[in-house]
Amino acid sequence: MKKTNHILVSGGILLLSGFLVNAMSVKKEERNIYEQAEVEVNENPFATEEIPHEISLSEYKVYAIDLPEKLDFAGERVPIEDPDVYERLDREFLVNTYWQSNGLLILKRANKYFPIIEPILKQNNIPDDFKYLAIIESGLTNAVSPSGASGFWQFMKSAAQEYGLEISDQVDERYHIEKATQAACDYLNRAKRSTGSWTMAAAAYNAGMAGMNRQATFQQTNNYYDLWLNTETSRYVFRILAIKEIMKHPKKYGFIFDKKHLYNELPTFSVMVNTPIENLTDFAKSYNITYKDLKIYNPWLRDRKLDNKEGKTYYIKIPKK
């Protein structure tokens, strides 16, 4: 019995020793796995490491912005000494300065599209500052709003047609940058005559001429900065002012880039068309370009063909390769 107990005890010790050895082996193996994982994490450029809260806060800084002492829109002075005007302007500077990705994209696109917009504004005696209105409307893209406003200048269908733009299943000239800019100029000249100032004309582009004149009559002032308006319209001119200042002095507001980073418009030539085009891909290939190229330079062509039953004259841009 004692011998048996001795054997059992000895066996138990051996078994326990085995467990301990195996456990130590497992622990060692786990340590190796963890160490390897730690190496892999450290070597992984996308891995994140726990950083003490105090260090992360001390390294991250958000700066207040010193607003310019003097600002104007289209030559009309901005009363920045007014506390309400100052706060509303400060908001737009902060939003547009710290929305860095959007700001940089706008700066890149402006190099491509401002040379098209600027001369049309000048020909129509529209102040150059209105090119920034196109930015806050669409970001210089052929955007479509939830309400259906489209193109760089965000015309609604009825307003676009009122100002001479063609809209059909196959043609939508809201996407024709030159024609849409001309239509915007026609509207703005009319708005200036109606509201009395370029600042009010800019606000009218958002709220409508009737809307701005109605508010001016009720509130007995046609000074935009003194009017109580809906949120969108009350921010509208301030957004233009902030974008204008940031784009004129980008490095001052932290936007660093070289000329090589900017987008450029390729040279094009125009082909006059006054007959139907059955297949726009075939048309593009006849000029040694792709259908994609044709659509990029002529986004106003909204279908795969152009019936042109009335024999209208269109000018289609062809990029020079």
Side-chain angles (χ1 to χ4, degrees), residues 3-251:
K3 185 177 181 180
T4 302
N5 288 341
H6 177 72
I7 292 171
L8 287 172
V9 171
S10 300
I13 292 171
L14 288 172
L15 185 60
L16 180 59
S17 300
F19 281 138
L20 291 172
V21 170
N22 287 337
M24 291 174 68
S25 177
V26 169
K27 289 293 184 184
K28 184 177 181 180
E29 186 177 347
E30 286 179 353
R31 282 199 303 273
N32 290 338
I33 292 171
Y34 295 145
E35 288 170 2
Q36 180 63 30
E38 186 176 357
V39 169
E40 290 176 358
V41 167
N42 290 334
E43 290 177 351
N44 182 355
F46 298 106
T48 57
E49 184 180 350
E50 285 292 332
I51 300 174
H53 186 61
E54 295 79 8
I55 295 175
S56 63
L57 283 180
S58 66
E59 291 179 350
Y60 183 75
K61 294 179 175 64
V62 178
Y63 295 91
I65 296 171
D66 292 325
L67 301 186
E69 293 183 3
K70 295 181 180 179
L71 278 177
D72 72 272
F73 175 73
E76 298 171 358
R77 181 177 172 275
V78 179
I80 198 169
E81 70 281 357
D82 182 322
D84 174 63
V85 171
Y86 179 90
E87 287 188 23
R88 289 156 70 187
L89 189 61
D90 189 48
R91 172 184 181 176
E92 303 308 329
F93 267 83
L94 287 169
V95 169
N96 288 283
T97 298
Y98 288 107
W99 191 6
Q100 296 97 331
S101 58
N102 187 65
L104 199 51
L105 279 171
I106 287 171
L107 287 159
K108 288 169 176 276
R109 292 175 190 146
N111 191 68
K112 184 177 182 179
Y113 295 116
F114 274 3
I116 299 172
I117 294 172
E118 288 168 345
I120 300 173
L121 295 177
K122 187 175 182 179
Q123 289 164 13
N124 288 272
N125 297 314
I126 301 293
D128 190 65
D129 283 358
F130 278 92
K131 65 190 180 187
Y132 303 107
L133 185 149
I135 289 176
I136 68 166
E137 283 288 338
S138 66
L140 296 180
T141 66
N142 281 313
V144 180
S145 76
S147 62
S150 302
F152 277 35
W153 294 93
Q154 289 290 282
F155 274 102
M156 295 293 289
K157 183 178 179 179
S158 58
Q161 291 173 326
E162 180 183 350
Y163 285 90
L165 298 180
E166 179 184 348
I167 300 178
S168 68
D169 291 339
Q170 295 185 347
V171 171
D172 191 336
E173 290 181 335
R174 290 177 294 179
Y175 300 103
H176 192 300
I177 183 170
E178 291 89 351
K179 290 188 177 184
T181 302
Q182 180 59 53
C185 288
D186 294 340
Y187 180 93
L188 291 167
N189 269 323
R190 183 179 168 189
K192 166 66 161 52
R193 292 191 298 269
S194 175
T195 61
S197 72
W198 287 118
T199 305
M200 286 287 283
Y205 201 88
N206 177 256
M209 284 178 262
M212 291 305 297
N213 286 329
R214 191 162 49 245
Q215 291 296 340
T217 299
F218 174 74
Q219 299 182 42
Q220 300 179 30
T221 176
N222 68 344
N223 184 336
Y224 170 81
Y225 302 104
D226 288 336
L227 287 170
W228 179 266
L229 302 166
N230 68 69
T231 302
E232 185 177 347
T233 308
S234 68
R235 293 184 62 185
Y236 198 76
V237 173
F238 291 94
R239 292 173 63 200
I240 298 174
L241 290 167
I243 287 290
K244 170 189 171 182
E245 174 67 13
I246 292 167
M247 292 189 70
K248 291 184 78 170
H249 308 285
K251 290 185 178 180

